[in-house]
């Protein structure tokens, strides 16, 4: 883009945004708490999905105070099915930090926002600009794609040098005092017009300034470096039934992947470990680790589940508590839950898949 084109760019984009923007629920408010919730929900999540979760989250926790005072399990329960559960845990920690250290007021400046758990440079810039109209440019996945095309950048936008270049461009093209709408307009352009794959250049409000269009590169940009293959991990889990009491679940440690969610007890298998050997180790570990005695009740079935950086192949063994019971006294790490009460606890996505498999393969408890 030439300097003259950059001058007109913001006006053209903002005029288009005023007419074309989607009426998303977080666009009807200036409440920084709600805008912050929406930004966290939108990380790694499609707008349609985030919208449904936003509504139930705000209904359940309408203010920073209600979120800060909630117990973690109820926060995870509202988040259930959305994945990346660290976001939910950090949201609550951040709400408490705002109450204790910022007098209950969400900070206005990106540097202060970044002191809160779960807020990185992108979210800090988004909240500061959208909630408080601070003059900071935001670069999300949509904006990376739009800038790569507008400036015909022929290198992967994830590379640090390209990122720096895009930040410098952002500083140049951001109109002072209009960051709230300008940032949202850039993201909206990427979501509605300058889409991944084939962009809708005929409908583009800034096509006259687009270098990729001029050079015939629109469907070749942005450049993506090849991704490394995703590793597959193997795991064996036991779905233990106990007549009358239900199924046995354990809770994951509060920190780390899926922290605080409930799942069937299990263990990681070695890459070449056979199902039979895995079952022996699994039953032994149930007895030693979680003090539940169980016997296998049939051949396993398998379930696949994908995470951002690996896939899991899960072998599910239907088991019966020994003598129809199984638990030895009060169990320190898990509990029996009747199927009709499962919806009251936050469970992992893989566990939900396994429950569906169990329902298909044998009658309910
Ligand atoms: Fe994207 Fe096409 Fe617009 Fe260029 S002209 S910004 S490629 S939609």
């Amino acid at each position: 883009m030439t300097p003259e084109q950059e001058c007109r760019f913001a006006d053209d984009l903002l005029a288009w945004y005023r007419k074309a923007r989607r009426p998303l629920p977080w666009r009807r408010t200036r409440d920084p708490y709600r805008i912050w919730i929406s930004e966290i929900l939108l990380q790694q999540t499609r707008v349609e999905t985030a919208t449904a979760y936003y509504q139930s989250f705000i209904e359940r926790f309408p203010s920073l105070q209600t979120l800060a005072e909630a117990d973690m399990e109820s926060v995870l329960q509202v988040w259930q099915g959305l994945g990346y559960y660290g976001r939910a845990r950090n949201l609550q920690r951040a709400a408490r930090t705002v109450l204790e250290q910022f007098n209950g007021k969400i900070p206005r400046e990106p540097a202060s926002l970044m002191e809160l758990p779960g807020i990185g440079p992108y979210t800090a810039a988004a909240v500061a600009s959208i909630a408080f109209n601070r003059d900071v440019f935001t670069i999300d996945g949509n904006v990376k794609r739009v800038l790569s095309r507008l400036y015909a950048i022929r290198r992967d936008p994830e590379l640090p040098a390209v990122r720096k270049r895009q930040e410098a461009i952002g500083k140049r093209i951001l109109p002072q005092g209009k960051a709230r709408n300008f940032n949202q307009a850039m993201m909206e352009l990427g979501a509605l017009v300058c889409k991944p794959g084939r962009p809708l250049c005929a409908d583009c409000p800034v096509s006259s300034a687009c270098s990729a269009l001029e050079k015939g590169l629109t469907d070749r940009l942005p450049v993506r470096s090849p991704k490394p293959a995703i590793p597959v991990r193997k795991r064996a889990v036991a779905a233990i039934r106990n007549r009358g009491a239900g199924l046995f679940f354990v809770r994951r440690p509060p920190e780390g992947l899926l922290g605080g969610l409930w799942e069937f007890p299990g263990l990681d298998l070695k890459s070449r470990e056979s199902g039979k050997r895995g079952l022996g180790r699994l039953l032994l570990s149930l007895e030693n680790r979680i003090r539940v005695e169980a016997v296998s009740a049939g051949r396993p079935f398998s379930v696949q589940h994908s995470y951002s950086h690996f896939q899991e192949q899960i072998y599910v063994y239907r088991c019966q508590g020994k003598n129809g019971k199984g638990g030895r006294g009060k169990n320190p790490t898990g509990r029996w839950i009747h199927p009709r009460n499962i919806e009251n606890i936050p469970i992992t996505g893989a566990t939900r898949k396994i429950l569906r498999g169990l329902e298909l393969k044998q009658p309910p408890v």
Side-chain angles (χ1 to χ4, degrees):
M1 257 199 271
T2 61
E4 295 73 39
Q5 284 171 322
E6 282 185 353
C7 282
R8 276 200 42 207
F9 176 80
D11 290 343
D12 291 344
L13 183 68
L14 286 167
W16 168 81
Y17 179 66
R18 276 192 288 277
K19 287 189 215 139
R21 67 178 171 183
R22 290 166 292 176
L24 302 174
W26 48 86
R27 288 189 177 152
R28 292 198 288 269
T29 180
R30 296 262 170 102
D31 178 351
Y33 168 71
R34 292 181 180 214
I35 288 164
W36 165 48
I37 299 296
S38 73
E39 283 302 326
I40 301 293
L41 281 166
L42 284 164
Q43 291 169 8
Q44 320 279 349
T45 306
R46 294 166 57 84
V47 166
E48 298 74 24
T49 312
T51 302
Y53 276 86
Y54 173 83
Q55 266 143 356
S56 41
F57 197 94
I58 293 297
E59 255 168 49
R60 181 74 182 74
F61 309 110
S63 65
L64 187 106
Q65 182 100 16
T66 50
L67 177 60
E69 288 169 358
D71 64 85
M72 186 58 82
E73 188 146 315
S74 59
V75 180
L76 289 173
Q77 205 174 343
V78 178
W79 207 267
Q80 197 172 185
L82 197 56
Y84 300 95
Y85 292 87
R87 290 182 293 174
R89 291 193 299 273
N90 281 331
L91 260 181
Q92 203 207 24
R93 284 192 200 115
R96 288 180 178 169
T97 309
V98 171
L99 271 193
E100 286 158 16
Q101 295 176 24
F102 293 90
N103 218 9
K105 295 217 171 347
I106 293 175
R108 303 168 72 89
E109 300 300 333
S112 308
L113 282 160
M114 280 172 63
E115 288 175 30
L116 302 175
I119 297 196
Y122 165 74
T123 308
V127 174
S129 61
I130 298 171
F132 302 111
N133 206 24
R134 310 308 280 175
D135 286 325
V136 275
F137 187 65
T138 55
I139 303 184
D140 72 345
N142 279 324
V143 175
K144 284 177 194 169
R145 182 173 61 256
V146 171
L147 290 179
S148 294
R149 287 172 174 162
L150 281 170
Y151 288 83
I153 300 171
R154 297 175 208 224
R155 294 177 71 204
D156 187 340
E158 300 305 329
L159 293 170
V162 178
R163 186 170 175 87
K164 267 195 167 169
R165 184 175 166 199
Q166 293 202 341
E167 282 168 0
I169 292 171
K171 278 191 184 142
R172 252 187 0 248
I173 61 176
L174 178 74
Q176 298 296 293
K178 295 182 182 171
R180 172 180 288 132
N181 282 342
F182 185 79
N183 281 336
Q184 292 189 87
M186 285 292 284
M187 293 188 257
E188 198 76 337
L189 185 71
L192 300 182
V193 180
C194 195
K195 299 178 177 204
R198 192 156 289 182
L200 309 175
C201 302
D203 300 331
C204 180
V206 291
S207 57
S208 60
C210 181
S211 297
L213 184 64
E214 193 189 326
K215 294 173 181 166
L217 294 171
T218 53
D219 48 5
R220 283 197 264 153
L221 297 177
V223 171
R224 293 282 177 216
S225 310
K227 284 194 177 147
I230 291 186
V232 179
R233 299 182 189 169
K234 283 164 64 180
R235 187 167 172 79
V237 305
I240 314 166
R241 285 166 185 258
N242 173 344
R243 252 176 280 126
L247 291 157
F248 192 78
F249 288 85
V250 288
R251 194 177 188 178
R252 294 177 67 90
E255 297 302 325
L257 183 71
L258 309 170
L261 299 187
W262 294 82
E263 63 182 5
F264 289 118
L267 48 76
D268 293 336
L269 298 176
K270 296 179 187 112
S271 59
R272 296 199 179 167
E273 193 168 7
S274 71
K276 236 180 177 178
R277 221 181 137 84
L279 174 63
R281 277 212 303 132
L282 176 62
L283 294 178
L284 206 64
S285 101
L286 294 177
E287 212 168 320
N288 294 339
R289 204 159 46 90
I290 59 169
R291 305 198 324 203
V292 168
E293 288 182 69
V295 286
S296 165
R299 290 168 66 81
F301 64 94
S302 82
V303 163
Q304 282 203 354
H305 195 71
S306 298
Y307 297 92
S308 58
H309 53 295
F310 68 95
Q311 275 193 346
E312 208 165 48
Q313 177 81 32
I314 307 165
Y315 298 91
V316 184
Y317 291 92
R318 281 159 287 179
C319 296
Q320 194 68 50
K322 261 192 189 169
N323 307 320
K325 267 189 106 189
R328 269 199 253 143
K330 201 167 188 299
N331 195 293
T333 52
R335 67 183 198 222
W336 298 97
I337 295 172
H338 195 278
R340 69 169 168 265
N341 294 328
I342 291 171
E343 63 187 40
N344 299 329
I345 58 163
I347 57 174
T348 66
T351 305
R352 204 169 307 114
K353 277 189 190 167
I354 294 169
L355 283 166
R356 281 200 291 271
L358 287 169
E359 275 166 17
L360 291 177
K361 288 172 173 60
Q362 60 185 78
V365 174

